[in-house]
Amino acid sequence: MQDLELVKHGLKLHLRDPCSYTPILESEVSRGCPQSLLMGPQAGLTVQEIGKFSKKDAEAFPLYEQQLERFAQAIQPLLDNTPIDSKKLAKSSLWEQIKEAYHSKHIFEAGKILGEDLPLFYEYLTAPASKILNQWFDSEPLKATLATDSVIGAMISPDTPGSSYVLLHHVMGELEKQKGIWAYPEGGMGAVSSAIASSARAAGVEIFTNKAVSQFIVDASNGVRGVALNDGTEVRATAVLSNATAKVTFLDLCPAEALPSKFRSAIGRIDYTSPVTKINVATRGLPNFVADPSVGDDPMPHHRATIHLNCEHMSLIQEAYEDASRGEISRRPLIEMTIPSSMDRTIAPEGCHVLLFFTQFTPYTLAGGKTWDEKTKQAYAEQIFGDVEKYAPGFRELIVGYEVLPPPELEKIFGLTEYLPRRHVAGSAVFHKAGAWRIWKPVTCEGTLPVWEWCTPRWRSDGSARLPRCTSCAAGWQLGAPSIAKFRKERTRGNDGMGLSHIPIPICVCPCFFPIYFTWCPL
C-alpha cells in the first residue's frame, strides 16, 4: 500500500475491530458454557473473551501469538527471496558458492531470529494444526476458530500434516503498519483493483483489459520476448511478468518445445485442489444472533467481524473434510460469513446489507454422477441458510436475493486453474495452489532455471511471483515505480547479460482482477 500510494489513488479502508466472532449453539455445549467468542486486535478484550472458556487458555494465548509472530518474522524473508537451487549449487565452483551464500543472507537472518527454537519452527511447518493447537489450548470453540485459518480455501483438515504452516501464513500480513488487522475496502475489492490501476497509470503503465493472451513469444534461445494475443496482436517486451498459476504460465501460455519435458511434468503435478463455494447474499436487514441479540437496527460489534459458524469443535471441521473427500457435500460445512456493509455503507441501500459466505468443504466433482446444476446449487444454499437460521432465527426472511458459486463456476468466471481429469483433482484453488507446507516444493530440472526464476526474477514455489502482487487473489502483484526500479536492479544482478543501463519493459498478465464483494442493487 505504501509503495503504490493506494490511499492517494482513492483507496479507503474500514479497519475491522473485532476481527472474529464465533457464536455457539446451546445444543453443542454443556449448560452454562459461554455462547460466543469475540476476538480482535485489542489484546485485553481477546484475553477476556477467551477467559470465559478457560483461564489457562487466556494466559496461554498471548504467548501463542508471540510465538507465531516470531516464526512469521523468520519465514517472511524466505518467501520473498529465491530459494537455493541445491543441484546447481553442488556443481558450482567455490567462488560461486561464496557468492550464493552472500546473496542468501536472509537464511542466516531467519536462523538468528529462531535461535534455539529452530526445531519447534520445523514442527510448525510440518505438523497438523490440530497437534499445535492441542498443545496450547483446551477450549474447543477457541481451537476450532483458530483452526479455520489452517484450512481456509484448501482441501485439507486440521489433522493434515503441514496445515499448521497456514497458521503462520495468516499472521504474516499487515495493514497500515499494524499486524493482525483486517479491513473492508470501501466499494468492495474492485476498489482495490481500481487504486492499483490508478497507481500503475501514474507510473506510466498502460493497462489493457479484455485482451486474452494466447501464448508467450519465445525466441530461438527459448527466451521470452513478449506475448501474442487471441486477436493476433503481438506485444514485444524484454520481460514478461505472469501472475497466472504455474500451470497456466508454463503449460498453457508457454510453447511446449521451450521447456524440458521433466520441467513440464513437474509443473503438471502441482496440486490445485480447492473445496470452496462462495455465496453472495443481499438482505433487508442484519442477522440477529441468539448468542448476542441485536439492539436496534444498527450493526453490533460482532457484525463487523468474520463470523464463524459450525465451529463449536475442531472435530466438526474434520468431519466436513471427510464428507468432501468422499465426493459428498459436507453435512455441516465450515462457514465464514462477513458483512462488509456493516461498515461500508456505499455498497447497499439504507437498511439493507451485503453478506458474503465463504464455505467449505464442497467437492468439485460430486459422487454418484451428480453435477453442480441449478437444483444442486439451490439445495446447497438452502442448507447454508438453514445452518445460519440455527444461530440467527429469522435469517431466511431477510433474504432478497443470492448467487451461488461452486468450484466449477469459480474456475470458469475467474480463470482459476481448472479440474484435471487425468488426476481426479478438484481445481479452482483460490490461492493459486492448494495450501499446506507439505506440498510447497521447488520445481527444477536439469538445464533450466527453477520455476520461480524462469521468466521473472523471483518466482515463488506457490505459483505466485514476488514482484507482481494481486490483492484480489492473495498471490498478489505490485506494479509501480518502486517495484519496477527494484525489478531493474535484480535483473542486472542476474545471468542474463544485461548491463546497468538496460531498462526492462515488463508486461503483466494477471487473470485475477475480480471483485470478491458485489454491490447490492434492488431487484
Side-chain angles (χ1 to χ4, degrees):
M1 284 184 59
Q2 285 75 30
D3 285 352
L4 301 185
E5 300 180 304
L6 297 188
V7 173
K8 172 184 173 182
H9 289 277
L11 181 62
K12 181 178 180 181
L13 299 176
H14 297 275
L15 302 182
R16 300 194 308 169
D17 183 11
C19 297
S20 171
Y21 173 64
T22 305
I24 299 167
L25 295 177
E26 288 186 86
S27 60
E28 292 287 341
V29 295
S30 57
R31 183 169 296 181
C33 180
Q35 289 188 295
S36 66
L37 174 63
L38 197 65
M39 303 171 69
Q42 297 183 40
L45 174 63
T46 298
V47 168
Q48 181 181 337
E49 284 283 309
I50 295 172
K52 296 188 304 185
F53 296 86
S54 167
K55 297 298 181 184
K56 171 181 171 291
D57 288 357
E59 294 172 359
F61 188 75
L63 301 176
Y64 166 78
E65 282 206 314
Q66 288 173 18
Q67 187 175 83
L68 284 186
E69 288 171 5
R70 188 168 76 258
F71 287 173
Q73 185 183 0
I75 199 173
Q76 197 151 9
L78 301 181
L79 294 178
D80 285 339
N81 285 275
T82 307
I84 293 175
D85 184 348
S86 56
K87 291 182 179 179
K88 180 180 178 182
L89 190 65
K91 300 176 181 179
S92 301
S93 66
L94 178 60
W95 176 242
E96 288 173 332
Q97 291 176 359
I98 292 173
K99 286 197 298 182
E100 184 63 41
Y102 174 78
H103 292 307
S104 301
K105 290 184 292 185
H106 55 280
I107 297 177
F108 301 104
E109 292 171 5
K112 186 177 179 180
I113 293 170
L114 294 171
E116 62 184 15
D117 285 336
L118 183 58
L120 187 58
F121 175 68
Y122 179 77
E123 183 178 28
Y124 267 79
L125 296 183
T126 58
S130 57
K131 178 182 178 181
I132 300 297
L133 295 172
N134 283 329
Q135 289 174 352
W136 280 96
F137 308 114
D138 295 329
S139 168
E140 281 297 327
L142 174 61
K143 289 189 291 186
T145 300
L146 297 175
T148 60
D149 278 347
S150 72
V151 303
I152 198 69
M155 186 57 186
I156 57 177
S157 80
D159 291 343
T160 301
S163 57
S164 59
Y165 162 73
V166 193
L167 295 173
L168 293 176
H169 195 73
H170 279 79
V171 298
M172 290 179 195
E174 63 179 43
L175 197 57
E176 296 191 348
K177 298 183 179 180
Q178 299 181 65
K179 295 283 187 181
I181 296 292
W182 298 78
Y184 294 123
E186 185 164 296
M189 284 300 293
V192 180
S193 299
S194 296
I196 293 174
S198 175
S199 176
R201 290 190 181 100
V205 175
E206 295 181 68
I207 299 175
F208 299 87
T209 59
N210 296 316
K211 296 288 185 180
V213 175
S214 61
Q215 197 173 50
F216 294 144
I217 300 171
V218 178
D219 61 21
S221 61
N222 290 334
V224 177
R225 292 294 175 259
V227 296
L229 308 184
N230 278 352
D231 62 8
T233 303
E234 291 190 353
V235 183
R236 297 282 172 168
T238 55
V240 174
L241 310 181
S242 172
N243 199 48
T245 62
K247 186 265 181 186
V248 170
T249 301
F250 295 107
L251 302 188
D252 295 348
L253 298 180
C254 184
E257 61 275 11
L259 292 171
S261 58
K262 287 183 179 180
F263 183 88
R264 290 177 56 83
S265 178
I267 295 296
R269 289 194 296 271
I270 294 176
D271 187 1
Y272 294 99
T273 311
S274 179
V276 174
T277 291
K278 284 181 59 65
I279 306 178
N280 301 319
V281 184
T283 67
R284 57 173 58 90
L286 290 163
N288 188 3
F289 292 94
V290 172
D292 295 277
S294 298
V295 179
D297 296 329
D298 292 335
M300 302 283 285
H302 58 269
H303 287 127
R304 302 194 293 264
T306 295
I307 301 167
H308 303 274
L309 305 182
N310 293 334
C311 285
E312 285 79 4
H313 306 275
M314 263 202 303
S315 59
L316 292 175
I317 303 175
Q318 177 66 28
E319 291 167 7
Y321 165 78
E322 291 173 356
D323 288 342
S325 297
R326 296 189 293 268
E328 302 169 359
I329 294 174
S330 303
R331 288 163 291 178
R332 289 190 63 180
L334 171 61
I335 300 172
E336 289 199 353
M337 175 173 65
T338 55
I339 312 175
S341 54
S342 63
M343 301 188 74
D344 177 11
R345 294 307 306 154
T346 68
I347 60 175
E350 189 64 34
C352 299
H353 288 276
V354 170
L355 280 67
L356 309 175
F357 290 84
F358 194 97
T359 73
Q360 59 187 84
F361 296 83
T362 52
Y364 184 108
T365 302
L366 300 172
K370 295 181 180 178
T371 61
W372 281 103
D373 55 19
E374 289 302 316
K375 182 179 179 180
T376 302
K377 291 195 295 182
Q378 184 176 351
Y380 182 68
E382 287 300 318
Q383 178 184 348
I384 295 298
F385 299 155
D387 281 353
V388 178
E389 190 87 15
K390 296 173 185 176
Y391 296 89
F395 173 72
R396 277 195 176 98
E397 298 173 6
L398 300 175
I399 297 174
V400 175
Y402 64 88
E403 65 173 347
V404 183
L405 301 173
E409 292 193 25
L410 290 175
E411 165 196 306
K412 179 181 178 181
I413 295 172
F414 302 127
L416 305 178
T417 289
E418 71 275 11
Y419 174 66
L420 305 177
R422 67 183 183 280
R423 296 171 52 216
H424 306 286
V425 168
S428 70
V430 294
F431 297 119
H432 269 210
K433 78 185 294 293
W437 183 264
R438 65 190 173 86
I439 51 177
W440 284 41
K441 300 175 182 177
V443 180
T444 177
C445 63
E446 197 70 30
T448 70
L449 289 170
V451 59
W452 48 77
E453 289 185 342
W454 188 77
C455 69
T456 67
R458 292 291 182 266
W459 184 278
R460 290 206 303 256
S461 57
D462 65 347
S464 62
R466 173 186 175 186
L467 292 179
R469 190 174 295 266
C470 168
T471 53
S472 296
C473 67
W477 74 322
Q478 295 173 335
L479 183 58
S483 294
I484 292 175
K486 196 177 201 179
F487 175 69
R488 233 180 256 171
K489 179 180 177 182
E490 295 191 0
R491 285 284 289 191
T492 305
R493 200 186 74 191
N495 298 320
D496 51 13
M498 296 180 182
L500 286 171
S501 61
H502 181 81
I503 300 177
I505 305 172
I507 299 173
C508 292
V509 183
C510 178
C512 305
F513 272 177
F514 61 91
I516 293 176
Y517 304 156
F518 75 109
T519 301
W520 196 100
C521 56
L523 300 178

